[in-house]
Amino acid sequence: MTTKSGIALLYNEETNNTYDVCLKLTKEVLTIQKLDVVCTSGSESQVNHRTVVLRRQATGGLGLSIKGGAEHNVPVVISKIFKDQVADQTGKLFVGDAVLQVHLLRTAGDEVTITVRYLREVPSFLKLPLGSPGPDHSRVSSPLFDSGVHLNGNGNNTAPSPPSPSANEPKYEKRWLDAVSLPLLMARVSRYKAGKDKLRFNCFEVFALDGASTNILQFCTAAESTDWLQAISTNINDLTQENVSPFLNIRGLVGSSCECIVHMGWACECPEGSAPGRSSTFKFLALRGPYFYIFKSPPISAADWGQAETTYNLYEVLFKVHKLWMAEDCWLQARLYLGLEHSPEQDTESLCFSILVGHGQSHTFRVELATDLAIWEKSFQRAVFLEVQRVQSKSYMCSSQGNVLCFTIDFASGFTCSESTSKTILWRYKFSQLKGSSDDGKTRVKLLFKNPESKQIEMKELEFANLTAVLHCIHSFIAAKVASMDPLFMCSQSFLGNYTNS
């Protein structure tokens, strides 16, 4: 679990503004805090509003600057308070306060009463001194100018005498206050704009299970954004691992090897081709027991497992990582994932994997981090291995030269072909004797086996109703056989990795 805190910018799409927030990440919750002014002592007559009397000194002004105004379609906000000047000495005014009312009580404005309220979502650049760079760190001054009340001006920098405070006078200070708390259990993150494939390198959103969102969190650099994204994703995955059994409420199934959950989590399904009107959508994926599940939302109860959009037999699908992840230049990969370099292919090709299923169909999914992709790849290998170990063999009906046959793939013995009615075995080969294959992409396949005695290659031509599923099954059994001979892989199966209840 990762705990973390720091400052970010929050972008509000409704107001098109960004403002400072403090992020606090714990094991179970991401909290967004916003700055506010609170009364720490004394009596406060009007909640959130403060009325402050400023007495102009003979040697200087009021000691504050403001920005904004109706002509700029933004509120009038205090943008700077000068140290030891009149506004500073009141202890009641802060950068970011919106000026609600102004009353000049004496001739020439010697005494001014202003009513203010702190804006928790004031645009960040309004709270900076005039001429300071905005949140994008450019050196261009804000287009808003001082609205005419540049009320500093104590030319000789001599501080006037502070007013005598009253014992019951309220005192104020700025504090970070909790504004949004998002539970991370079954939450998801996204660096992509909603409904689009455009990658945002220094921004992302977090969505809770109930649909609540952080809005868009922005960071100074792509590396900082990735660091936060990695920390939040780690906590989401760890929470899923810890809570998988009680959360899913699978009574009677926990401990059953055929129902173990190897891995589950969110991924974004990318539409095939470039059909107009089709956009990427988030799906919840699960590797449980003999099946690969695709859901619209996480299964909360045992009954929800029957509501999956699609379910596939694990040993009849093929997991394929897309090309960018397999690039030879590992340093280029690292720079791309950190956002330090951009690839024109990255928006649609990076961090994607496909699930190839029967009859030439497939699903393509995109994840947010390279670590997510690695977890899915390893989890598929683990889930397929466990399922092959469980079923031990799989048979398919086929035909050859007009005869109906039964083709069996057996984990222990290899390939067997027999007559469908008499069960008479026609031929049998070990996995190691398969030397190659070719198919027509439709129904027919030629399997090339090496005869151990004659050392000659023998071809067996078979026809299947769903050739793709058969070829994927052969691949799954051979991969599981190879993995069973790998001591390191077998050692890892003692623990079964993430999300496995055994």
Side-chain angles (χ1 to χ4, degrees), residues 307-325:
Q307 306 301 316
E309 279 190 340
T310 312
T311 304
Y312 296 108
N313 288 319
L314 268 174
Y315 50 74
E316 292 184 344
V317 301
L318 189 65
F319 181 94
K320 179 183 177 182
V321 177
H322 282 214
K323 57 185 178 182
L324 185 61
W325 172 241

Side-chain angles (χ1 to χ4, degrees), residues 477-498:
F477 272 72
I478 293 178
K481 192 69 174 180
V482 172
S484 68
M485 300 176 184
D486 183 351
L488 293 178
F489 183 86
M490 293 305 295
C491 180
S492 70
Q493 301 314 297
S494 300
F495 305 97
L496 298 183
N498 292 338

Side-chain angles (χ1 to χ4, degrees), residues 1-4 25-27 184 189 204 224-238 369:
M1 291 293 178
T2 303
T3 58
K4 189 178 178 66
L25 177 64
T26 63
K27 173 182 176 179
L184 297 178
V189 294
F204 62 84
E224 184 183 5
S225 175
T226 301
D227 188 40
W228 270 98
L229 189 65
Q230 181 72 68
I232 294 171
S233 296
T234 297
N235 285 14
I236 291 174
N237 289 335
D238 290 347
L369 294 165

Side-chain angles (χ1 to χ4, degrees), residues 358-376:
H359 300 292
Q361 298 177 333
S362 66
H363 297 268
T364 300
F365 299 98
R366 182 181 64 222
V367 293
E368 299 295 328
L369 294 165
T371 51
D372 295 335
L373 189 61
I375 289 173
W376 276 111

Side-chain angles (χ1 to χ4, degrees), residues 103-412:
H103 296 287
L104 303 179
L105 301 182
R106 295 184 180 177
T107 306
D110 290 338
E111 185 173 290
V112 179
T113 297
I114 62 175
T115 301
V116 298
R117 176 173 61 87
Y118 188 75
L119 292 183
R120 299 176 70 179
E121 300 185 5
V122 64
S124 299
F125 68 86
L126 278 181
K127 294 184 284 186
L128 298 173
L130 293 175
S132 296
D136 61 351
H137 298 277
S138 65
R139 290 296 170 182
V140 180
S141 300
S142 165
L144 301 178
F145 54 84
D146 186 347
S147 300
V149 191
H150 194 63
L151 303 176
N152 59 317
N154 185 14
N156 56 12
N157 291 324
T158 303
S161 301
S164 300
S166 169
N168 295 325
E169 192 171 353
K171 296 181 180 179
Y172 301 89
E173 65 179 42
K174 269 186 181 180
R175 289 183 181 175
W176 289 107
L177 302 180
D178 292 354
V180 177
S181 292
L182 249 65
L184 297 178
L185 181 60
M186 300 293 179
R188 64 177 175 88
V189 294
S190 177
R191 292 185 295 167
Y192 290 81
K193 299 188 75 171
K196 299 181 180 180
D197 292 328
K198 183 64 178 178
L199 179 65
R200 298 177 294 204
F201 287 96
N202 65 332
C203 307
F204 62 84
E205 296 179 75
V206 183
F207 298 86
L209 179 60
D210 62 2
S213 167
T214 58
N215 286 328
I216 301 171
L217 297 172
Q218 297 181 348
F219 299 86
C220 294
T221 64
E224 184 183 5
S225 175
T226 301
D227 188 40
W228 270 98
L229 189 65
Q230 181 72 68
I232 294 171
S233 296
T234 297
N235 285 14
I236 291 174
N237 289 335
D238 290 347
L239 271 176
T240 305
Q241 177 184 2
E242 289 183 5
N243 293 274
V244 61
S245 298
F247 187 82
L248 297 175
N249 191 27
I250 309 174
R251 296 183 180 179
L253 297 183
V254 176
S256 173
S257 61
C258 66
E259 297 293 346
C260 67
I261 299 171
V262 176
H263 185 62
M264 58 183 183
W266 290 97
C268 187
E269 184 171 15
C270 306
E272 294 185 22
S274 57
R278 299 187 62 188
S279 59
S280 302
T281 55
F282 277 91
K283 299 295 175 67
F284 192 83
L285 313 180
L287 296 167
R288 174 189 168 205
Y291 301 114
F292 170 63
Y293 294 84
I294 302 177
F295 295 93
K296 285 185 177 180
S297 58
I300 299 177
S301 67
D304 291 341
W305 287 92
Q307 306 301 316
E309 279 190 340
T310 312
T311 304
Y312 296 108
N313 288 319
L314 268 174
Y315 50 74
E316 292 184 344
V317 301
L318 189 65
F319 181 94
K320 179 183 177 182
V321 177
H322 282 214
K323 57 185 178 182
L324 185 61
W325 172 241
M326 302 172 69
E328 294 181 359
D329 187 350
C330 60
W331 296 109
L332 173 61
Q333 292 180 32
R335 293 194 299 272
L336 289 171
Y337 300 146
L338 289 175
L340 303 179
E341 187 164 330
H342 178 67
S343 164
E345 297 180 349
Q346 190 176 15
D347 288 350
T348 56
E349 289 291 335
S350 66
L351 305 181
C352 290
F353 64 89
S354 290
I355 305 299
L356 308 181
V357 298
H359 300 292
Q361 298 177 333
S362 66
H363 297 268
T364 300
F365 299 98
R366 182 181 64 222
V367 293
E368 299 295 328
L369 294 165
T371 51
D372 295 335
L373 189 61
I375 289 173
W376 276 111
E377 183 176 24
K378 186 168 292 186
S379 297
F380 256 93
Q381 295 171 354
R382 189 172 292 126
V384 170
F385 175 83
L386 292 174
E387 180 57 14
V388 170
Q389 290 278 55
R390 186 186 71 84
V391 299
Q392 287 295 308
S393 68
K394 175 64 179 175
S395 296
Y396 295 93
M397 299 304 295
C398 62
S399 63
S400 177
Q401 297 179 347
N403 299 316
V404 179
L405 307 176
C406 179
F407 178 73
T408 301
I409 311 166
D410 187 272
F411 184 76

Side-chain angles (χ1 to χ4, degrees), residues 6 39 66 78-79 108 116 248 307 357 381 409 420 431 437 454:
C39 182
I66 62 174
I78 296 178
S79 61
V116 298
L248 297 175
Q307 306 301 316
V357 298
Q381 295 171 354
I409 311 166
S420 61
F431 288 119
S437 68
S454 66

